[in-house]
Amino acid sequence: MVKGKKREGVKAGNTKQILNFALSACSILLLLWVWFSVSAVNSRLIPTPAVTWERFLLLLEKPVMRVSFGGHILISLRRILLALIASWIIGISFGVFIGWNKKMNALLGSVFELIRPIPPLAWIPLITICFGIGEFPKLLIVFIGAVMPVIINSRAGMQGIEQIYLDVGIAFNGTQAQVLKEIAIPAALPVIFAGIRTSTSVAWSVVLAAEMIGANAGVGFLVVRGMNGDDMALVVVAMITIGVIGALLSVLTSWMERLVCPWMNIK
């Protein structure tokens, strides 16, 4: 009887996976159909998939600004990696600090709430005036965009812990540091990782915008290069690359969450 129920559960799970895969395939096919239809109306404005593929192959052969296609991708990834590492370290530390300490939240939380709504791109004029248009300003812009969701979720995760869990730690004579390390932070990790996932997508968007404003390499630079050179096929290639890399980054952060929070996968 139990084995029969297990088989039915496995069969239902396999059916659900097949259905999800079929729906995903249908959505991709629908997107391709829309692309074919629109490019057939105005192939100069929206290049066909065949023309885009040819431009992709040409991009692999002929570098842009003496940088290969893979080189442009690596430059963009390097920028967000450096900014993300800094934003995760600083954002989690600061978010946990103000979320755990009510006095510090009262002191610093209001200042953070004033700065938080400012879009990262709004900082570009001020950062450009102060630091120019080199590599550091781009990293700083990405950092500003990525650190905000990490702080927000880290603080929310700490403030959302049920008091009963903290009381248990105190009842067993745990110090504040022990309760924070052994109970509070592990309990807040799922919410913190939600901020990490958001910060990764924000960082990828912001670095592309920063590269479009002032850069001589990167995936965002390829978009600008295609626009200025009336090379819409290059723009589409860069856009597809942006989407694929963004999806891969999302998968990577989900894998990191499963690795750090294995208990979240228990059904």
Side-chain angles (χ1 to χ4, degrees):
M1 190 72 176
V2 176
K3 290 183 178 179
K5 290 183 178 179
K6 287 184 177 179
R7 290 176 182 174
E8 291 178 1
V10 172
K11 187 180 293 185
N14 293 336
T15 303
K16 185 177 181 181
Q17 289 180 355
I18 294 173
L19 178 60
N20 290 337
F21 178 79
L23 291 174
S24 300
C26 288
S27 65
I28 294 175
L29 291 175
L30 178 61
L31 178 62
L32 290 175
W33 177 80
V34 172
W35 186 3
F36 273 106
S37 301
V38 174
S39 61
V41 175
N42 191 342
S43 59
R44 186 178 180 277
L45 180 62
I46 303 295
T48 63
V51 172
T52 303
W53 177 253
E54 292 176 359
R55 186 64 183 89
F56 170 69
L57 295 178
L58 180 63
L59 184 60
L60 294 178
E61 296 177 3
K62 294 185 178 181
V64 177
M65 294 293 291
R66 299 181 180 179
V67 180
S68 66
F69 179 56
H72 285 287
I73 294 175
L74 290 177
I75 288 171
S76 295
L77 290 177
R78 174 183 171 275
R79 286 168 177 157
I80 72 163
L81 179 61
L82 294 175
L84 282 176
I85 291 174
S87 67
W88 292 347
I89 293 174
I90 296 175
I92 293 174
S93 301
F94 183 71
V96 168
F97 180 62
I98 62 176
W100 179 254
N101 192 311
K102 293 182 179 180
K103 293 181 179 179
M104 289 297 102
N105 184 54
L107 177 64
L108 303 175
S110 57
V111 177
F112 172 72
E113 290 298 330
L114 290 174
I115 298 175
R116 180 175 63 87
I118 303 175
L121 297 184
W123 292 90
I124 290 178
L126 181 61
I127 292 175
T128 302
I129 293 173
C130 295
F131 303 104
I133 57 174
E135 190 68 15
F136 176 74
K138 297 180 183 60
L139 297 177
L140 184 57
I141 293 170
V142 179
F143 168 80
I144 293 174
V147 76
M148 295 301 176
V150 179
I151 296 175
I152 293 170
N153 282 66
S154 298
R155 182 176 66 173
M158 297 299 294
Q159 293 176 339
I161 301 171
E162 295 186 21
Q163 185 62 38
I164 188 173
Y165 298 139
L166 304 179
D167 292 340
V168 169
I170 296 173
F172 280 92
N173 297 321
T175 64
Q176 284 290 319
Q178 289 174 330
V179 173
L180 174 64
K181 180 182 178 181
E182 304 295 335
I183 298 177
I185 293 179
L189 274 179
V191 182
I192 293 174
F193 260 97
I196 288 176
R197 289 198 302 271
T198 304
S199 71
T200 303
S201 61
V202 170
W204 183 236
S205 301
V206 173
V207 74
L208 296 171
E211 289 173 349
M212 292 175 67
I213 293 172
N216 55 9
V219 182
F221 166 76
L222 293 179
V223 175
V224 176
R225 182 62 176 254
M227 291 173 56
N228 294 338
D230 196 22
D231 188 354
M232 294 306 300
L234 178 59
V235 174
V236 175
V237 170
M239 290 174 61
I240 294 174
T241 304
I242 291 168
V244 170
I245 294 177
L248 292 176
L249 290 173
S250 177
V251 172
L252 179 61
T253 53
S254 297
W255 174 81
M256 289 171 55
E257 181 177 11
R258 290 194 299 270
L259 185 65
V260 177
C261 308
W263 61 86
M264 295 297 295
N265 304 315
I266 300 176
K267 302 294 183 180

